Amino acid sequence: MAGSTKQITILMGDGIGPEVVKQAIRVLKRIGEKYNHTFVFTDRLIGAAAIDATGDPLPDDTLEACKSADAVLLGAIGDPRFDNNPNATVRPEQGLLKLRKELGLYANIRPVKIFDHLRHLSVLKEHVLEGVDMVIYRELTGGIYFGEKEKTATSASDLCIYHDYEIERIAKLAFEEAMRRKKTLCLIDKANVLESSRLWRTVVRAMCADYPEVEVSYLFIDNAAMQMIINPAQFDVIVTSNMFGDIISDEASVLGGSLGMLPSSSVGSEVRLYEPVHGSYPQAAGKDIANPLATILSVEMMLRDFGMTEEADDLMNAVAQCVENQQLTQDLEKVNPLSCSQVGMQVADIILKRKMTNYGVII
Ligand code: IPM
Ligand code: MG
């Protein structure tokens, strides 16, 4: 793709967020130099970092900077000071939820691929991981996360409400993805118990007529959680609600050896948001030991969405090579781990060393 300029709003967030995002920026800059693109970065506060500075987990100027960007790159949100205080009325996570809602990011896409060289590090037996390659479409702006909340001295409730259009628009994306992949789609819900899940089934079933080639299956979340462990290769495209998607994607993410490898993109409006699936990992904050690859792979998704296919392939190859060389952080390499910044530098170096030809990138 000919040289272009992209405005990227950077939300480093909390915990290890700043460390992993810095490495992703390093890699993005290297891609920019190599392919003659200009990436303009604007830093803004979110989460606990924003509460400390302004009292607000999503200050107005953060939201404005996100709305006017070509893409948003986020690190992580969360701080134990708030996790351990159930009475806190202002919470870091509120910043992220409001941002998703305000940007209209109703679909969170979480691809789960397993690098061959990491298979032996999985908690599962290697043969179970044969052929695992799935993508989870998690609804992101509705359901129990956003329903009305009530609290009295002795009770509390969170409403799980879904409207048909909210289900339809994410299911449409998932069906389209299924058409590009193996033409199978699995809806995960709890339709034997929940009215809202029965609506998901009704809406998805009605949409089958528009996608006659797609074979749709239905699984209850409890069963799906078990199937994810005993036979994860059966899944290809999954579509599910906000809460079930949150849980099942964390489960799926460790199949490949570490939660530190899973990227995501959130889509729905013009501006998209890219973030690793992992959290803020406060125990590791400031130690330069966190795995930056989930954030770097989130940048890969960003490049692909920008139409920068060759650039995305180049980045992906560099990550694969890093993995192959066992140039990894301590979550994946116990004997000779690299630091977070060393992994970032390594990926950037590999990108620099790969030459360009008229036919694409060669080693
Ligand atoms: C995620 C996170 C968030 C969520 C938190 C930080 C609010 O767990 O993106 O998966 O629950 O959506
Ligand atoms: Mg989560």
Side-chain angles (χ1 to χ4, degrees), residues 76-78 93-94 96-97 100 108 110 138 140 145 242 245-247 249-250 264 275-279:
I77 302 280
E93 291 77 8
Q94 289 163 348
L96 179 56
L97 298 184
R100 289 170 175 169
N108 181 223
R110 299 184 159 181
R138 167 192 176 194
L140 204 59
Y145 271 59
N242 203 343
D246 181 44
I247 298 168
S249 62
D250 261 35
S264 85
E275 58 174 319
V277 169
H278 64 68

Side-chain angles (χ1 to χ4, degrees), residues 7 9 27 64 76 82 120 124 130 172 185 201 215 239 246 255 262 266 270 289 316 318-319 326 329 341 357 362:
Q7 306 285 338
T9 294
V27 171
E64 285 319 308
F82 299 89
H120 66 287
L124 299 187
E130 193 85 44
K172 184 167 187 291
L185 174 64
R201 279 206 189 195
E215 190 189 315
V239 65
D246 181 44
L255 297 174
L262 212 72
S266 299
E270 236 165 84
I289 56 171
M316 187 51 113
V319 170
Q326 283 177 286
T329 42
S341 42
T357 71
I362 54 162

Side-chain angles (χ1 to χ4, degrees), residues 269-283:
S269 65
E270 236 165 84
V271 186
R272 295 181 166 194
L273 181 142
Y274 301 84
E275 58 174 319
V277 169
H278 64 68
S280 61
Y281 191 14
Q283 304 84 338

Side-chain angles (χ1 to χ4, degrees), residues 1-5 30-38 311 356:
M1 195 192 192
S4 56
T5 299
R30 182 56 52 78
I31 291 280
E33 287 156 17
K34 182 164 171 178
Y35 293 88
N36 198 25
H37 300 306
T38 309
E311 294 83 336
M356 282 200 294

Side-chain angles (χ1 to χ4, degrees), residues 8 10 12 17-35 37 39 41 73 288 292-293 295-296 299 303 315 318 322 339-352:
I8 299 170
I10 301 291
M12 295 200 186
E19 295 159 54
V20 292
V21 168
K22 274 179 199 146
Q23 300 317 312
I25 292 176
R26 184 200 297 280
V27 171
L28 206 39
K29 280 187 177 157
R30 182 56 52 78
I31 291 280
E33 287 156 17
K34 182 164 171 178
Y35 293 88
H37 300 306
F39 297 115
F41 302 105
L73 179 64
D288 199 22
L293 291 178
T295 316
I296 291 172
V299 162
L303 293 172
L315 194 165
C322 233
S339 67
C340 175
S341 42
Q342 282 172 326
V343 170
M345 284 189 267
Q346 196 52 41
V347 174
D349 269 8
I350 297 172
I351 291 170
L352 181 72

